[in-house]
C-alpha cells in the first residue's frame, strides 16, 4: 500500500463559493479541454452522441433544490478531488500509482503504474475518481499541475483551468496551509467548511456556504410602495414605481 508524506510544504487547493456558483458548467468544460491535452490526457468519451453517453470528467457540477416555499433556492455544487491530507484513495493503492506530493500536497495518479483496479474509487467517499474505459486506468483532478507551474504561461494563467474560466469568481486557488494566504482568510471570513468531515480524511478543498437570500424570509421587510410622482396616476404607474423602488432598495 502507498504511504503518505509525514508533512507537506504547502496545501494547494480550491475554495468554492456556493453562494456565487451559478452552475454554468464553465469549470467542467474548461477542465475537460485542458486535461484532454494535459497530465491526465486524454480524457476519453464513450458514445458521446449515443443512447448511453459517458466518459471521464475530472470536475462535475450538481444542482440541488434546498428548502421549501419562499425559503427555497437552487444550490449548484461543483465536485472534484479534494486533495485530502489523509486520502484513503492513496493508502489503498496496491501499486503506488496513487500518491500525494510532499512539496504541495497535490494528489495524483501515475498512469504508467495504475492497473485500473478501482480500489481508490471505492475508498473515496467523494466520488472523485474517474475510470477511463478506453485507457483502463483511473483519472482525477490534478489541480492542473502542468499548468500552475508552467513558466511559459502568463502569471495570471498559472492557476487551474476551472478557476481561470469561472465567470462569477466562485472558485479560488491557493495555499490553504498558509493562514495568511488569500484563500485561508476567505475561509475564515466566510465560515468555509469541509465536505463530510466525519470521515476524517481532512479535505484541503473548502466550500463557502450560501449567504441568506435577500428576497427571502431573512431579508429586510419591504418598504412601502413609492407614491406616483410627476402627476402619474393609475394602476400601471403605481406598479412601475413600486417595482423601481423595490429594485433600488435592495
Amino acid at each position: 500500500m502507498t504511504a503518505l508524506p509525514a508533512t507537506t510544504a504547502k496545501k494547494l487547493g480550491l475554495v468554492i463559493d456556493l453562494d456565487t456558483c451559478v452552475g454554468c458548467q464553465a469549470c467542467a468544460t474548461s477542465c475537460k479541454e485542458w486535461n484532454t491535452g494535459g497530465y491526465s490526457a486524454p480524457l476519453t468519451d464513450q458514445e458521446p452522441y449515443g443512447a448511453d453517453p459517458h466518459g471521464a470528467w475530472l470536475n462535475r457540477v450538481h444542482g440541488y433544490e434546498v428548502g421549501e416555499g419562499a425559503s427555497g433556492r437552487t444550490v449548484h455544487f461543483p465536485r472534484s478531488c479534494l486533495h485530502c491530507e489523509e486520502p484513503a484513495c492513496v493508502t489503498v493503492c496496491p501499486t503506488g500509482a496513487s500518491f500525494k506530493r510532499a512539496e504541495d500536497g497535490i494528489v495524483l495518479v501515475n498512469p504508467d503504474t495504475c492497473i485500473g483496479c478501482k480500489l481508490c474509487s471505492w475508498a473515496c467517499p467523494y466520488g472523485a475518481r474517474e475510470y477511463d474505459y478506453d485507457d483502463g486506468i483511473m483519472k482525477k483532478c490534478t489541480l492542473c499541475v502542468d499548468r500552475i507551474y508552467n513558466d511559459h504561461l502568463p502569471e495570471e494563467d498559472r492557476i487551474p483551468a476551472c478557476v481561470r474560466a469561472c465567470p462569477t469568481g466562485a472558485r479560488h486557488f491557493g495555499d490553504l496551509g498558509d493562514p495568511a494566504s488569500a484563500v485561508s482568510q476567505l475561509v475564515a471570513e466566510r465560515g468555509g467548511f469541509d465536505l463530510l468531515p466525519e470521515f476524517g480524511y481532512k479535505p484541503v478543498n473548502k466550500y463557502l456556504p450560501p449567504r441568506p437570500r435577500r428576497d427571502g424570509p431573512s431579508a429586510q421587510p419591504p418598504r412601502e410602495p413609492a407614491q406616483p410622482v410627476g402627476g402619474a396616476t393609475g394602476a400601471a404607474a403605481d406598479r412601475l414605481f413600486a417595482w423601481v423602488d423595490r429594485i433600488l432598495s435592495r
Side-chain angles (χ1 to χ4, degrees):
M1 302 301 176
T2 310
L4 296 170
T7 59
T8 60
K10 294 181 178 181
K11 296 179 182 178
L12 295 185
L14 301 174
V15 174
I16 300 174
D17 192 342
L18 300 180
D19 186 62
T20 54
C21 176
V22 295
C24 67
Q25 306 289 332
C27 57
T29 54
S30 62
C31 169
K32 182 85 165 184
E33 180 182 18
W34 176 266
N35 287 287
T36 291
Y39 179 92
S40 296
L43 298 183
T44 60
D45 293 306
Q46 294 78 40
E47 297 187 50
Y49 305 106
D52 182 27
H54 58 282
W57 290 77
L58 308 186
N59 185 37
R60 297 176 183 270
V61 183
H62 307 280
Y64 299 94
E65 296 298 322
V66 179
E68 297 181 358
S71 63
R73 66 184 298 172
T74 300
V75 174
H76 302 286
F77 193 88
R79 176 178 59 84
S80 62
C81 174
L82 302 174
H83 300 275
C84 301
E85 293 185 49
E86 299 180 11
C89 61
V90 170
T91 56
V92 302
C93 181
T95 67
S98 186
F99 63 99
K100 186 174 182 66
R101 294 171 27 134
E103 60 267 37
D104 51 24
I106 298 177
V107 177
L108 295 174
V109 176
N110 184 344
D112 294 329
T113 53
C114 177
I115 58 175
C117 67
K118 300 184 181 180
L119 279 176
C120 59
S121 64
W122 295 337
C124 175
Y126 306 111
R129 295 290 178 125
E130 296 275 329
Y131 181 72
D132 193 315
Y133 286 87
D134 284 356
D135 286 354
I137 60 176
M138 304 304 299
K139 297 181 178 181
K140 60 175 293 299
C141 164
T142 68
L143 284 179
C144 292
V145 67
D146 50 354
R147 179 186 178 102
I148 61 177
Y149 295 113
N150 191 338
D151 293 336
H152 297 290
L153 293 176
E155 186 173 356
E156 62 270 20
D157 287 334
R158 295 176 203 168
I159 55 177
C162 62
V163 178
R164 192 73 173 98
C166 181
T168 64
R171 303 176 74 91
H172 308 266
F173 170 70
D175 183 6
L176 286 148
D178 178 7
S181 69
V183 286
S184 293
Q185 293 179 2
L186 185 60
V187 169
E189 292 170 4
R190 290 280 308 281
F193 62 92
D194 291 349
L195 185 61
L196 300 176
E198 59 270 22
F199 285 104
Y201 298 132
K202 301 178 181 178
V204 172
N205 287 9
K206 310 296 180 188
Y207 288 92
L208 304 181
R211 295 181 177 91
R213 283 180 47 171
R214 291 185 296 180
D215 58 345
S218 60
Q220 296 181 355
R223 297 183 181 180
E224 290 296 322
Q227 295 300 317
V229 296
T233 59
D238 291 346
R239 290 196 299 271
L240 171 63
F241 286 114
W243 177 82
V244 171
D245 182 71
R246 188 166 58 252
I247 294 298
L248 296 179
S249 299
R250 289 184 176 181

